[in-house]
């Protein structure tokens, strides 16, 4: 899918996008046509809305309305926190569907948008519309190549001085938000272990092959490492040679990060290029499917499926409740310290409901989108029940790009090209051979039954 650019409408609301928004509001919109039926597109768009942390307000067959952000987010000016409204209309278009996506700011006051909020809204609009395009592109890759530009109406933009102040306030708010999230969510050591690439601080991780380069976002690189570790620990029905190559590549990534960090590219051989592509596909497919943890009790072998996101929300709710209870009254410092110790005390991660065991073997599982069958294999290929090919969920955009950097030497310093050797002289024609006389005709076969061919007696 090609990169999409903005097209400023400057107050002239395009036709076919529904009623124009309230004057003075920041707005962005896009129109997309795909070959997917409206019901299929609606299902994927609803999932996308929830993944983007929007709250659905209207869920009709042809209309989806959702909101995100709050007044506090408008103060921090974080792109993911500013108040915004999303409206998606769906209608049949031939054998496919037509989707109109409109994003409007919900700034709490009629003034103040120019005080640094415009840049945050442009970033938020672009992130949402990029996710919409990626979702629809997976349904119809051919139509994604013809997606038009995004429309926006943001007025004159931010005031320069206020934008700098808002940037500083936004960074301070982001630090405060991270600290608050760390206090409420707890210090998850398992997440830190899995984020081996993100912990280096790099934005992307680069693989360099002999004739190609692949730039992978760090979160996807973390997912590739997790998928490789899972496959290496439980190869299942995978060919032993491929499982060995995956294990070797995962070890190389870990050694490279320990020695040089994530900013330095990792050189891979031509034989490792298919392995990198395979892990990249596994990481993307895992990101599109629901993630569940299968815990098997080591004592009685009882299986229990849990949702990591639900566990995180429950832990956050518990900590928020404990903090609110502790702050209801002014207490002595040592009492507050004791409450913080209780706050950090965690309950057992697993308790078997049948035998009360506390130890379990854990693995990551998912479910088929078509039939709902549980997929326990480490490497996703096809569903054993309905033969659904999980690779059909992937974007056809290639991972590798050819890398042949041109010479940077000036023309006068470029070494001359050696002239090509002259062509070899053609060999002299061969002398004509004298004519060869035709061989005499072969004698006719003698029939022994013909009496004229018998020998005559002497006279």
């Amino acid at each position: 899918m090609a990169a999409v650019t903005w097209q400023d409408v400057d107050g002239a609301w395009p036709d076919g996008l529904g009623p124009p928004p309230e004057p003075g509001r920041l707005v962005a919109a896009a129109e997309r046509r795909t070959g997917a039926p409206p019901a299929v597109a609606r299902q994927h768009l609803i999932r996308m809305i929830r993944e983007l942390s929007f709250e659905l307000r209207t869920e009709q067959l042809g209309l989806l309305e959702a909101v995100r952000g709050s007044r506090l987010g408008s103060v921090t000016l974080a792109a993911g926190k500013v108040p915004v409204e999303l409206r998606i209309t769906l209608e049949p278009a031939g054998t496919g569907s037509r989707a109109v996506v409109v994003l409007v700011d919900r700034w709490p006051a009629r003034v103040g948008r120019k005080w640094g909020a415009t840049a945050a809204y442009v970033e938020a609009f672009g992130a949402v519309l990029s996710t919409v395009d990626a979702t629809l592109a997976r349904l119809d890759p051919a139509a994604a190549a013809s997606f038009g530009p995004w429309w926006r109406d943001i007025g004159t933009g931010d005031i320069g001085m206020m934008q700098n102040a808002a940037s500083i306030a936004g960074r301070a708010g982001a630090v405060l938000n991270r600290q608050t999230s760390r206090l409420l969510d707890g210090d998850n050591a398992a997440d830190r272990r899995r984020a081996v690439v993100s912990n280096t601080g790099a934005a992307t991780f680069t693989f360099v092959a002999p004739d190609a380069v692949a730039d992978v976002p760090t979160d996807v690189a973390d997912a590739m490492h997790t998928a490789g570790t899972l496959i290496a620990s439980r190869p299942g029905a995978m060919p032993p040679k491929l499982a060995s190559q995956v294990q070797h590549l995962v070890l190389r990534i870990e050694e490279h990060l320990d020695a040089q960090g994530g900013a330095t590219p990792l050189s891979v051989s031509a034989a490792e290029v298919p392995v990198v592509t395979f892990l990249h596909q596994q990481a993307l497919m895992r990101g599109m499917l629901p993630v569940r943890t299968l815990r098997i009790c080591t004592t009685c072998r009882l299986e229990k499926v849990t949702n990591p996101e639900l566990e995180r929300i429950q832990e956050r709710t518990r900590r928020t409740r404990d903090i609110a209870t502790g702050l209801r009254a002014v207490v002595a410092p040592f009492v507050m310290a004791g409450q913080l110790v209780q706050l950090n005390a965690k309950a057992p991660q697993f308790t078997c409901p049948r035998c009360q065991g506390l130890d379990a073997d854990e693995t990551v599982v998912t479910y088929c989108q078509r039939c709902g069958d549980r997929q326990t294999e480490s490497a996703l290929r096809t569903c054993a029940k309905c033969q659904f090919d999980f690779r059909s969920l992937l974007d056809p955009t290639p991972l590798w790009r050819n890398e042949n950097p041109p010479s940077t030497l000036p023309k006068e310093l470029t070494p001359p090209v050696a002239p090509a050797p002259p062509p070899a002289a053609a060999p002299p024609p061969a002398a004509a051979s004298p004519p060869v006389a035709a061989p005499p005709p072969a004698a006719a076969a003698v029939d022994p039954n013909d009496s004229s061919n018998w020998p005559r007696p002497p006279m």
Side-chain angles (χ1 to χ4, degrees), residues 21-102:
E22 179 185 351
R25 292 287 183 183
L26 306 179
V27 61
E31 179 187 11
R32 297 293 181 253
R33 296 177 182 269
T34 62
V40 176
R42 177 180 178 273
Q43 178 183 0
H44 286 77
L45 289 173
I46 289 177
R47 181 180 302 170
M48 177 213 69
I49 289 173
R50 292 180 175 138
E51 290 176 353
L52 290 176
S53 301
F54 277 88
E55 179 185 353
L56 274 169
R57 294 290 181 86
T58 303
E59 190 175 348
Q60 300 176 1
L61 188 61
L63 177 63
L64 300 174
E65 292 180 338
V67 295
R68 186 180 71 179
S70 61
R71 291 179 178 270
L72 179 61
S74 64
V75 175
T76 60
L77 293 180
K81 302 294 184 181
V82 291
V84 63
E85 178 183 354
L86 170 65
R87 185 175 74 249
I88 301 178
T89 57
L90 284 166
E91 60 183 16
T95 58
S97 59
R98 173 179 177 265
V100 174
V101 184
V102 179

Side-chain angles (χ1 to χ4, degrees), residues 227-250 271-282 378-381 391:
T229 305
L230 184 63
I231 292 172
S233 59
R234 295 192 307 108
M238 283 190 60
K241 182 178 180 180
L242 179 57
S244 176
Q245 291 175 335
V246 169
Q247 181 179 2
H248 177 71
L249 180 61
V250 170
E272 291 176 320
V273 169
V275 184
V276 175
T277 305
F278 169 75
L279 288 181
H280 185 258
Q281 293 176 348
Q282 292 294 316
S378 301
L380 296 176
R381 292 182 292 270
R391 292 169 296 183

Side-chain angles (χ1 to χ4, degrees), residues 205 207 225 249-258 266:
F205 188 73
F207 296 92
H225 176 266
L249 180 61
V250 170
L251 293 176
R252 283 199 58 205
I253 293 175
E254 294 176 351
E255 294 173 355
H256 176 80
L257 294 175
D258 292 338
L266 174 63

Side-chain angles (χ1 to χ4, degrees), residues 1 49 95 108 119 125 153 186 190 192 211 256 271 326-327 334 337 353 370 426:
M1 185 178 60
I49 289 173
T95 58
F125 291 164
D153 187 2
R192 292 202 314 272
D211 57 351
H256 176 80
L327 295 179
F334 69 92
R370 178 180 295 176

